[in-house]
Amino acid sequence: MSSPNPHVDRDLELSNAGRGVWLVKVPKYIANKWEKAPGNIEVGKLKISKNPGQKAQVSLTLSESVLCLKEPGEENIPRDHRLDVSAITRQTLGVFSHITPSTNSDSVVPETEKLSMEGRIVQKLECRPYADSCYMKLKVETIRKASMPVRQVQQLDRIVQNFKPVSDHKHNIEYEEKKKAEGKKARDDKDAVLEMLFAAFEKHQYYNIKDLVKITRQPIVYLKEILKEVCNYNLKNPHKNMWELKPEYRHYKEPVPAPSTTSADD
């Protein structure tokens, strides 16, 4: 019986499980440059210096191709960096790669997903710039941009209609007027409202709610409660969104048939 999980043990490639790899943390400005760089250029050089009896020194020098990837007005970034090395003793970290098969592949044998272990992390390295004039200038610019307020006060030298204050907005005025009009409508006796409705439906078979509110002068919530008892609400054309009396309340006059004409034979 096959497992419902597609990533079972036999699908994990472990040929590189014994390989040691480095976990390197770089500043954000370097990561941004590397993301913009095309895949066919050199982004930097790593130098490892070992002196007898001393800890290995690791440094990173960015390439000119990366340093030239600048936006207009963007500050230069430092070229040289040191990498502080720290060993991992209390953690077990690994690096995995996941390759999804191409959907446009024309191969006879279909490709499958590939999950591989690329190695075990043995050292952490943190990339740090040297405190030279280039880095200090970049840091000052970063702090300046971070301290700039999102919203700023703008002084106007003329009257702008878009910023001109109004005592009240149109939709608020319309709402208050509608609310006052609704408040003036007192609830009449239910029988009286029914009489008005039956009288109205003797003239026309279909009404929308606005017309019925004008006819009865009743609050719309109260009126709908009564309409649900004696009327049906149409949801389909040709009388969509209109009310009509239920069949048991209809008392329309039957149309009088036209008198038939007969011809007499002479």
Side-chain angles (χ1 to χ4, degrees):
M1 182 175 180
S2 61
S3 173
N5 188 356
H7 299 304
V8 293
D9 291 343
R10 65 175 179 271
D11 294 331
L12 180 61
E13 174 63 40
L14 297 175
S15 59
N16 294 325
R19 182 172 60 177
V21 296
W22 289 358
L23 176 64
V24 183
K25 180 181 179 182
V26 299
K28 188 175 181 180
Y29 59 83
I30 293 182
N32 292 337
K33 295 290 186 183
W34 284 354
E35 287 181 357
K36 296 177 183 178
N40 56 352
I41 68 170
E42 179 186 282
V43 295
K45 289 184 178 181
L46 196 66
K47 182 179 179 181
I48 303 175
S49 302
K50 290 185 178 181
N51 294 323
Q54 296 182 1
K55 190 176 181 180
Q57 303 293 322
V58 185
S59 62
L60 172 67
T61 302
L62 299 179
S63 65
E64 285 293 338
S65 301
V66 170
L67 296 174
C68 293
L69 298 173
K70 289 178 55 178
E71 299 291 337
E74 186 179 2
E75 294 291 335
N76 294 324
I77 65 172
R79 175 198 297 270
D80 299 315
H81 299 74
R82 73 176 190 275
L83 280 81
D84 296 337
V85 183
S86 60
I88 298 177
T89 57
R90 298 184 179 181
Q91 286 181 304
T92 302
L93 303 176
V95 178
F96 296 86
S97 64
H98 181 205
I99 301 176
T100 304
S102 175
T103 56
N104 298 325
S105 177
D106 295 331
S107 60
V108 178
V109 180
E111 298 180 0
T112 59
E113 289 185 331
K114 186 177 181 181
L115 182 64
S116 304
M117 185 173 182
E118 300 297 338
R120 181 173 55 88
I121 296 175
V122 294
Q123 284 184 330
K124 286 184 179 180
L125 292 89
E126 188 164 356
C127 183
R128 298 180 181 274
Y130 296 102
D132 55 7
S133 59
C134 180
Y135 173 72
M136 298 307 296
K137 188 176 180 181
L138 176 65
K139 194 67 177 177
V140 169
E141 182 65 17
T142 303
I143 296 173
R144 185 189 68 81
K145 290 181 178 180
S147 63
M148 291 180 61
V150 178
R151 297 182 179 181
Q152 297 182 352
V153 178
Q154 182 180 2
Q155 183 177 357
L156 305 177
D157 55 357
R158 57 186 178 83
I159 297 176
V160 179
Q161 295 296 330
N162 293 341
F163 296 92
K164 187 176 180 180
V166 294
S167 58
D168 203 352
H169 294 282
K170 181 180 177 181
H171 62 273
N172 290 336
I173 297 173
E174 292 176 351
Y175 174 76
E176 290 297 331
E177 291 178 350
K178 182 179 180 180
K179 189 175 179 181
K180 290 179 181 178
E182 290 286 345
K184 292 178 182 178
K185 298 174 184 177
R187 290 192 176 192
D188 292 336
D189 183 72
K190 182 178 178 180
D191 292 336
V193 178
L194 287 172
E195 288 182 6
M196 288 187 284
L197 290 174
F198 289 144
F201 280 106
E202 286 182 0
K203 299 177 182 178
H204 301 285
Q205 185 175 355
Y206 303 97
Y207 285 93
N208 58 40
I209 190 64
K210 292 182 179 180
D211 291 336
L212 293 175
V213 169
K214 292 179 181 179
I215 293 171
T216 61
R217 297 292 297 171
Q218 297 300 303
I220 188 169
V221 177
Y222 176 58
L223 180 59
K224 283 185 176 181
E225 292 177 0
I226 300 175
L227 286 171
K228 290 178 182 179
E229 295 182 11
V230 299
C231 292
N232 290 327
Y233 186 69
N234 290 289
L235 297 175
K236 297 181 179 180
N237 291 323
H239 303 291
K240 188 177 181 180
N241 301 331
M242 301 188 77
W243 296 86
E244 67 170 328
L245 287 176
K246 293 181 178 179
E248 59 265 31
Y249 295 103
R250 298 175 190 172
H251 301 288
Y252 302 120
K253 294 181 180 180
E254 295 293 336
V256 179
S260 58
T261 59
T262 58
S263 60
D265 295 334
D266 293 339

